[in-house]
Amino acid sequence: MRAYVYLAIAILAEVIATSSLKATAEFTRPWPSLLVIAGYGTAFYCLTLSLRVIPVGIAYAIWSGLGIVLVAIAGYLLYQQKLDAPAILGMVMILGGVLVINLLSKSAAH
């Protein structure tokens, strides 16, 4: 279970870092830039810790799937970036894939 905690921290750190990229103004603003660097550093370190137990393909599928959805939500909330129906449908399908992997796949570490 600890591996999934590390993976969750990795995902959240990556989402924070990615969502902060726009605020860096092409890395000309120091505080958002530091947040991006720290976020990605934390994300990759925690991802490596999760890989002690979770297969790399499964971890990456969960990381990227949840990351896509969470960054899209952050873009909507922080930058008023609109999501249309096909985008929302696609993200629902991505979440469905993450659930299938975690609930039904024997490849995932349970």
Side-chain angles (χ1 to χ4, degrees):
M1 187 53 99
R2 189 176 354 180
Y4 281 96
V5 171
Y6 287 133
L7 183 57
I9 294 168
I11 292 166
L12 290 175
E14 187 267 336
V15 167
I16 290 168
T18 300
S19 299
S20 300
L21 277 171
K22 184 175 175 96
T24 68
E26 300 172 359
F27 289 99
T28 60
R29 298 180 61 216
W31 292 114
S33 299
L34 287 173
L35 186 59
V36 168
I37 293 165
Y40 282 131
T42 300
F44 284 109
Y45 178 70
C46 288
L47 179 61
T48 63
L49 296 177
S50 75
L51 295 179
R52 292 176 178 169
V53 175
I54 305 169
V56 67
I58 299 300
Y60 193 72
I62 295 167
W63 157 299
S64 60
L66 292 179
I68 288 167
V69 173
L70 293 173
V71 168
I73 292 169
Y76 177 81
L77 296 174
L78 296 172
Y79 305 113
Q80 292 72 49
Q81 296 173 342
K82 303 298 180 211
L83 299 170
D84 60 9
I88 293 169
L89 176 62
M91 286 185 267
V92 168
M93 293 170 68
I94 289 168
L95 288 176
V98 170
L99 288 173
V100 166
I101 288 170
N102 282 294
L103 299 176
L104 302 175
S105 175
K106 291 183 183 356
S107 298
H110 294 286

